[in-house]
Amino acid sequence: MDEKNKDLETQAKEPASGASPEKLPESQSYTRSEPNGDAAVHNPETASTKDIPVEAVHSAEGVTPEGEPFATATKEEAEASSTHAFFDEAASEPARPATQASGNNGTVPPVPPTRAGGGNLNGNNGGGGEPPKKDGKKKTIWGAFLAGILGVLIGALIVLGFSWGALHDDNNNDATSTTSNTGTTKKVTVENTTGTTQALEKVQDAVVSVLNYQAGTSIATGDTTEDEASSGSGVVYKKNNGKAYVVTNNHVVEGANKLEVTFSSGKKAEAKLVGTDKWNDLAVLEISDKYVTKVAEFGNSDAVKVGEIAIAIGSPLGTEFAGSVTQGIVSGVNRTVPVDTNGDGTEDWEAEVIQTDAAINPGNSGGALVNIEGQVIGINSMKISTENVEGIGFAIPSNTVVPIIDQLEKNGEVERPSLGVTLRDVDTIPEVQQQQVLKLPSGVDYGAMVQQVVAGSAADKAGLKEYDVIVEMNGKKVTNSMTLRQILYANDVKIGDKMEVKYYREGKKETTTVTLTAASSTNQ
């Protein structure tokens, strides 16, 4: 027999402390040990120990189980002797756990009067229907009462301590409880405030959806229609005199007949195109400030560090998912990404961008890249989208955005310095022509060749001519037309500046000085 079954059998044979014998099954019995000496007066049986049914325990004292008086005493004497013996035994016996044997052939000892019983089964006060101990009854009851009160107070203090800690928990848990007949159930509401949620509170409502409507023709009627051609995102960055201004990408608004802005509340407003800059892929829209509730704040993109949190907000895949938030980190700064600005399949510009692994999808273009302070550190613009690439997105740095949108808002365009030429990359020219036509020396297989000079331009005034190959500007190497634009359109270069230009003509290296002029529509 295993230990578990053995314990169960033992418990089945021994009544629990304080339990009434009537609650035991009728099939059970207990064994009373054979008395010796004077004790024989209480038991006329001198034979071997006999099993007595449970019901016999409650037969009248001084009477045998068969209903006959004890042989050596009157019923009254036997009654008195038996009762006194019970109290003497109860007073002398120490309290033992109910599961332990008394040492008297398995007889269960009397239950101590201070232990609570299982209810008043026999009409007596006390546990299990057993008589209470006369001596010290009041002291014992008062001791138990005081101990109970002390236990309740200690328990209450512990509960209050845990409750106080819960109220001041970092997660701001707010618990409410409801009580029913079956007990107390708790309904917990968690207010989980983090740095990300706090940042979003500052800027999320300033991010809008931008809808691009273009002219179309109805198949049914042949009438001209305005259909939604594409959508993107934008950021409200200024509010003044009943108007608000939104920055977005140039490619979001390109070719639009009508533009519309949708706010996070679902309200819509018609937008007016103020100006665009194709080189940095930026555009500014003007709207009514009627539904504007938040204006975004720009941060310092030069202070951005690799590894810090970056949050992208926008409308991926259209207005159905407007206001979507994705989080990642700043994966890289001062990145340069070649782009094709005119759609001819040739990369003609290098965008300076912030790299992030926050998810950026179609429709996120023009939305905000936000730091943990809720400041806009970039305008989401593009991503690398191939099967073997995951999580490489780019945003135009805020320090590049701010001066450009200021110009667009004021002038409708960005006035940049210009040479007044059109260019072709030397590395696209066959080697034979490099040597025979351009007559470049050995080892010079780079630079930007002048294809055409605009009359009266800065280049014309400086003496530059067709087939000249520019290899250096402002002390920086020019490898192709893209690097020339980067030098020319740098933030520290202004209209009217003088710039030294080195070039090859007929195989000879020469130098000239160009005074930069303004041009809004020339390539360089």
Side-chain angles (χ1 to χ4, degrees), residues 174-336:
D174 182 19
T176 59
S177 63
T178 56
T179 303
S180 65
N181 293 333
T182 58
T184 301
T185 58
K186 290 186 177 180
K187 182 178 180 181
V188 179
T189 302
V190 178
E191 294 182 1
N192 190 6
T193 300
T194 66
T196 300
T197 59
Q198 291 175 339
L200 291 175
E201 288 177 2
K202 297 178 181 178
V203 71
Q204 190 168 20
D205 288 341
V207 180
V208 298
S209 299
V210 178
L211 306 180
N212 180 328
Y213 292 90
Q214 296 184 9
T217 303
S218 171
I219 297 176
T221 64
D223 296 335
T224 301
T225 60
E226 284 184 340
D227 303 318
E228 182 182 328
S230 62
S231 66
S233 305
V235 180
V236 180
Y237 68 90
K238 185 177 181 180
K239 180 179 177 181
N240 187 31
N241 295 328
K243 298 179 181 179
Y245 295 90
V246 177
V247 57
T248 185
N249 287 143
N250 174 65
H251 75 262
V252 170
V253 301
E254 196 168 19
N257 279 18
K258 185 179 81 170
L259 293 167
E260 190 175 73
V261 164
T262 303
F263 296 88
S264 58
S265 63
K267 302 291 186 181
K268 295 184 178 182
E270 189 170 343
K272 172 187 173 183
L273 181 61
V274 176
T276 64
D277 175 26
K278 70 173 184 177
W279 297 110
N280 285 290
D281 195 23
L282 292 171
V284 170
L285 309 179
E286 181 186 291
I287 59 173
S288 167
D289 69 352
K290 181 178 180 180
Y291 302 119
V292 174
T293 58
K294 286 285 178 70
V295 175
E297 175 188 355
F298 286 105
N300 180 9
S301 58
D302 290 341
V304 171
K305 297 180 181 179
V306 174
E308 72 171 86
I309 290 176
I311 307 164
I313 312 173
S315 305
L317 307 181
T319 55
E320 182 179 358
F321 299 104
S324 291
V325 177
T326 55
Q327 179 174 305
I329 62 170
V330 173
S331 305
V333 295
N334 301 321
R335 300 290 200 214
T336 55

Side-chain angles (χ1 to χ4, degrees), residues 47-115:
S48 60
T49 303
K50 179 180 179 181
D51 287 345
I52 303 174
V54 172
E55 288 78 1
V57 175
H58 289 279
S59 59
E61 294 179 1
V63 182
T64 66
E66 290 76 20
E68 298 296 329
F70 285 112
T72 58
T74 66
K75 179 177 180 180
E76 290 77 14
E77 290 174 339
E79 247 179 2
S81 176
S82 177
T83 302
H84 294 160
F86 176 88
F87 281 108
D88 290 343
E89 183 181 4
S92 62
E93 282 288 342
R96 298 185 180 90
T99 55
Q100 287 186 351
S102 66
N104 189 17
N105 294 330
T107 303
V108 179
V111 180
T114 55
R115 177 175 294 182

